[in-house]
Amino acid sequence: MNAPTQIDTSAEDLMANAIRALSMDAVQAANSGHPGAPMGTADIAAVLFNRFMKIDPSADKWADRDRFVMSAGHGSMLVYAINHLLGYDDMDMDQLRNFRQMGYRTAGHPEYGHAKGIEVTTGPLGQGFSAAVGMALAERMHNARFGDDLVDHYTYVIAGDGCLMEGVSHEVIDFAGHHGLGRLIVLWDDNQITIDGSTDVSTSMNQKMRFEAAGWHVQSVDGHDKEAVAAAIEAARAVTDKPSMIACRTIIGFGAPNKQGTHDVHGAPLGDEEIAAARKALDWPHEPFTVPQDVYDAWHAVSARGRAAREAWEARLAANAGKEAFETSMADPDAATLDAAIDAYKAKLSADAPKVATRKASQMALEVINTTLPNTAGGSADLTGSNLTKTGGMRDVTAADFSGDYIRYGVREHGMNAIMNGIALHGGFIPYGGTFLIFADYGRGAIRLAALMGIRVIYVLTHDSIGLGEDGPTHQPVEVLASYRAMPNLNVFRPADVVETAEAWQAALGMKATPSMLSLSRQNLPCLRTAHVTENMVAKGAYVLREADGARDVTLIGTGSEVEIAMKAADLLAQSGIKAAVISAPCFELFAAQDDAYKASVLGDAPRVGVEAAIEQGWAPLLGQNSAFVGMTSFGASAPAGDLYKHFGITAEAVADAAKNLIK
Amino acid sequence: MNAPTQIDTSAEDLMANAIRALSMDAVQAANSGHPGAPMGTADIAAVLFNRFMKIDPSADKWADRDRFVMSAGHGSMLVYAINHLLGYDDMDMDQLRNFRQMGYRTAGHPEYGHAKGIEVTTGPLGQGFSAAVGMALAERMHNARFGDDLVDHYTYVIAGDGCLMEGVSHEVIDFAGHHGLGRLIVLWDDNQITIDGSTDVSTSMNQKMRFEAAGWHVQSVDGHDKEAVAAAIEAARAVTDKPSMIACRTIIGFGAPNKQGTHDVHGAPLGDEEIAAARKALDWPHEPFTVPQDVYDAWHAVSARGRAAREAWEARLAANAGKEAFETSMADPDAATLDAAIDAYKAKLSADAPKVATRKASQMALEVINTTLPNTAGGSADLTGSNLTKTGGMRDVTAADFSGDYIRYGVREHGMNAIMNGIALHGGFIPYGGTFLIFADYGRGAIRLAALMGIRVIYVLTHDSIGLGEDGPTHQPVEVLASYRAMPNLNVFRPADVVETAEAWQAALGMKATPSMLSLSRQNLPCLRTAHVTENMVAKGAYVLREADGARDVTLIGTGSEVEIAMKAADLLAQSGIKAAVISAPCFELFAAQDDAYKASVLGDAPRVGVEAAIEQGWAPLLGQNSAFVGMTSFGASAPAGDLYKHFGITAEAVADAAKNLIK
């Protein structure tokens, strides 16, 4: 335990005012930014860091550090000021002077990976809070495996009114309460101000009662009374079976004598005059971007305490029987072991050639993966039996027992995705979670952050087209594939059969800095890959599944459930003496990354027909000038899947006809 | 008031069992669907309709009808059974026999527009509830304008556990409580079952406390005790200053003796054996799809009561001084009046040529529109001063005074979009609402439903590219335009200047069955349309903004803030003796709808260069074989806007260079 003993609290006013001064000065220099939140929460942060936080800036990735999440990400200067004062070696004063400028680490909102000590990218409201729930969950899950000696840390969050108004907050508050995440402590910056003015304009929520309804431990304090804040954090830490929310009544922009407490300080520089007045009011006579050594000393004491804790932890790790397993859990998956397992599994598949839905194929692949890798953490947003995300040996993670590896996310797609971000960022686990492909939309905000941060999160998205049938257009994605292919740094896999599904999982697990989506069918699909190859063909993005019998007259390109249609179309064309090659294109992004020679060898020179039960947008790089596309041009309909494919004209006959029209 | 007097309640058991029987039989016939919810909520529905609902199936669009929303849309058979029993003329037994089949109105989930009496498309959880909040808000706003004689109805919702777990429910619960929507009554189908099993698996929420925290009136009843349900609805109606939630404890699949109360009845047919057992248990000896006349009679009495109420209302309307204004509010906007106002406004703009951000241009256009049309209802998700959605005379809608026309949606993008769906569906207002373009993602689920339903909702989405500058990549859309261009039946407008912004608004307001997005810049843009034309050029999707001086060597195509760059590139090319035309393409969807001759006249035969500060996906139809694109290929960065455009190479020079490369 990192109990706060013998800590010098006498400098906390100065520690807080250093944050305020740096924040207002940096925003002024940038002529852009948000001084209100860092100035309002500076006292809370000073107490939290000085008395509680366990971090070592010289080992920023130390596994057992406390996590600090500034969920109100527009208050990024709080993070940069703190990290500068703590002595992170990549956050010198030059970074603060160049807040929000090209090439500096001090982006407008905290960006994970841009600088040390930023645990998660925040800014889109609610995301930091939600990721923190994932971190706190991962901490308990990791603790259940490796014990208090190795895993024993807190996740602290500063959240604003906006974070608590966003819907995703509801999802994760319920989830955190249900799972009794006692190591999660949320400090609500209760400043009663949003951009449109007083919070009275748009909310009457009794936040305390709301958190209590979700099973949280709740307290209220004056956010500028440091002893009260400290006592509340102490009390929150003492409650180990419930997450804690501390409502900290603050004054936004505290210290700016004429503007504080108004929305004028939220998102604009204070101006030279008000900054001068604030310097007087705060008794902070120092030049901009100047911090006295005694203030640095006070902050550095936090770092020194963390360093000592980290060194003690390392000694414990060295002596721990679980050392190797612990390090394995924190490392990338063992590619050689996984590859061998997948290869053997693929060989068997190609021999057996089972006809299964790719959602079932995904579960079959997961049986191999979850047996091979020690630290996958599965789950579903209340669609376990539909997504087929749970495998044989998996046990539910519960408040009573965190040693399981399957998470019941509830009907909470956005929360699930954000929690998975937190699990991935925490380390120790590789998270995957399922829902229907259409409901990726509900959680898109968190998917975008995974792509932006470059983290390994895997989305298992089943029921991926009109092929789901009767549930109808509300449930049938037609534009969803295109909408995610548009997103940078996200791989969208749409495997065609049981073998490709195994390869898609293999490829996704190998993506250290890119999240992956698996788009999977509800309906059964034949095994097309009956000749075993060790090479991961899906990882090439697209490949020749069946070459033409001689020079190609036409190239047919399909994805997922429509590759079967392309194969049948090739058969039909053969009956007319037309030589068609069939390309399976399970991942457009990985194909785009291949070299030109490979691309040309796959696509060939013949006219091309693409087929996918979705809209055409995004297919341009695969189709050439003389090409056609067979797919959707509208929303779907409610009917049995076979009827829908016929109704919308996505058939082998239609593909063959399109090919003939091109060749004529 | 539609007070429930002298109502025969003796047949309510039969009324409910008719719903149960039709639901289990239809699901069985389809071999697909969800019997559990309709069977579990049949008693609630029987009481609600028999004693309270004011609807007239012979006038399904009657403005003052009560609204019934089955938010748990998978329970669609409840709606179809009720509407059949009430005697809607498009819901004969053949529709029920062909539940979930091609070409029938009885889709897997209730689809607005497919059949009378479906107030909103539901299925994606939380959407019906949220739209109902919009309906209840619109009712009060309309009431504030036209009085109790013309506007006096309730919005009733049946919501499931999933609806209450989804984040959007939090947003609209807070909103509804804050606005004191006393005419909203939510019946929670508290069956303690979700797809993954008992709700205990994933939630510990005290829903009653949660609603109370948001200022709701809350009650609990046995959902199978009809008198208790009726008394609770009575009590809820009596509370006029708070929305009401009635927790109805139910048994999912009530009546199926062996499967009820388990998740087995949620989403699968009961099977012939269990259906036979249920017929016995319910004492419902009738053949499948057979309803005795006395049960029809009981249901038809509801319709008769509604018809009488409607006729009385029509008499009141005929005598009401506000008749014309009322009918105007319910009708499409007066195009002639609007067109004249916009034409005069455009003429002035072209003469004055103001350089303003298109978000400011949007506010300027709204000043004209909100003065011209009587029933726009504006709002923003807490970004009023950034989205510039509020115009001169607008007043906030508040719990104390619903006569205003500006809605403070709070930091609730998903809730805002869903509430706007409800406002549009209710009628009386044309809703528009603002946020940053990037946060369209948060509310995408509701936007998709607007597109699917085909309703007029207008999204004001500012800060639409890296041009927003310092806020950085979390706030900079690069893939968002493409992701929405992929969605069927949604117009994405990206106007280039103040004139195009006015035209985009004019076009969007004219779209009766298509929602529209306006993608608007944070940064100032010059007026490019300095020669006035009455014709709405934006409505053509793309048009020749500047023809080349002679035969085109190259065609430059831009959208929004990048049209200025294309114009400058054309100037640069002219210096090299290269003749470039400049095409402004503010709406790809409307351009795609033009005839081939027009498209050819705009695009021409010369090589083409597209420029947009976004990714290329979606541009293929505008670019030809010999083409280039200047835009984004990654997420953005945090820096001043000018630096970002240079850094990412989106400049006039880059466009000119790309053109020269094509011509070589």
Side-chain angles (χ1 to χ4, degrees), chain A residues 123-125, chain B residues 383 413 417 435-443 461 474-475:
Chain A
L125 295 175
Chain B
L383 288 169
E413 299 80 9
N417 292 349
T435 185
F436 291 161
L437 177 59
I438 195 73
F439 297 127
D441 275 2
Y442 269 36
L461 301 168
T474 53
H475 283 54

Side-chain angles (χ1 to χ4, degrees), chain B residues 67-268:
Chain B
R67 269 63 169 180
F68 172 68
V69 173
M70 181 62 182
S71 189
H74 50 276
S76 57
M77 266 312 302
L78 182 83
V79 179
Y80 303 142
I82 289 171
N83 288 1
H84 168 76
L85 293 164
L86 288 169
Y88 280 90
D89 63 5
D90 63 350
M91 193 54 67
D92 60 24
M93 195 63 91
D94 199 41
Q95 291 291 335
L96 274 57
R97 287 183 195 276
N98 289 283
F99 180 50
R100 293 183 156 226
Q101 303 307 305
M102 181 68 73
Y104 288 85
R105 298 190 178 91
T106 43
H109 294 80
E111 299 281 345
Y112 173 76
H114 285 216
K116 297 176 182 176
I118 298 173
E119 300 288 359
V120 53
T121 295
T122 54
L125 294 175
Q127 296 292 341
F129 184 158
S130 304
V133 171
M135 294 175 190
L137 177 70
E139 194 269 351
R140 284 294 90 187
M141 289 172 65
H142 219 211
N143 173 277
R145 286 154 175 78
F146 297 104
D148 290 346
D149 267 4
L150 299 189
V151 185
D152 177 23
H153 54 269
Y154 285 85
T155 302
Y156 298 100
V157 180
I158 293 182
D161 293 299
C163 292
L164 300 193
M165 290 174 84
E166 291 287 1
V168 69
S169 69
H170 166 64
E171 301 183 11
V172 301
I173 288 170
D174 190 0
F175 181 94
H178 182 70
H179 285 85
L181 298 179
R183 295 305 187 96
L184 176 66
I185 297 175
V186 174
L187 299 141
W188 169 34
D189 178 19
D190 177 17
N191 61 30
Q192 303 188 341
I193 292 290
T194 69
I195 291 175
D196 270 13
S198 164
T199 50
D200 290 351
V201 163
S202 58
T203 181
S204 307
M205 181 64 76
N206 181 331
Q207 292 288 1
K208 289 183 61 182
M209 192 191 293
R210 172 198 180 198
F211 277 82
E212 280 163 0
W216 285 54
H217 170 244
V218 178
Q219 302 170 82
S220 285
V221 296
D222 174 348
H224 301 297
D225 178 343
K226 296 189 183 66
E227 295 309 320
V229 170
I233 296 175
E234 283 281 17
R237 287 162 55 103
V239 176
T240 58
D241 60 346
K242 290 180 176 184
S244 283
M245 191 279 270
I246 305 171
C248 303
R249 186 72 187 84
T250 63
I251 296 169
I252 190 170
F254 184 94
N258 305 302
K259 293 189 170 181
Q260 68 180 23
T262 74
H263 68 118
D264 292 340
V265 297
H266 168 80

Side-chain angles (χ1 to χ4, degrees), chain A residues 292-377:
Chain A
Q293 190 57 44
D294 57 336
V295 179
Y296 277 122
D297 290 346
W299 278 98
H300 290 168
V302 175
S303 303
R305 183 181 74 220
R307 183 180 190 121
R310 193 255 305 167
E311 287 169 351
W313 178 88
E314 285 183 345
R316 291 198 299 277
L317 176 66
N320 194 297
K323 177 174 188 291
E324 197 178 334
F326 182 88
E327 287 172 344
T328 297
S329 77
M330 296 299 293
D332 282 329
D334 178 350
T337 306
L338 179 65
D339 290 352
I342 294 284
D343 187 49
Y345 169 60
K346 277 169 54 183
K348 180 164 172 15
L349 290 178
S350 293
D352 297 349
K355 179 173 182 169
V356 296
T358 47
R359 61 177 171 145
K360 177 67 184 169
S362 170
Q363 188 182 41
M364 293 162 63
L366 282 169
E367 294 282 0
V368 177
I369 291 160
N370 290 339
T371 309
T372 307
L373 300 182
N375 63 338
T376 46

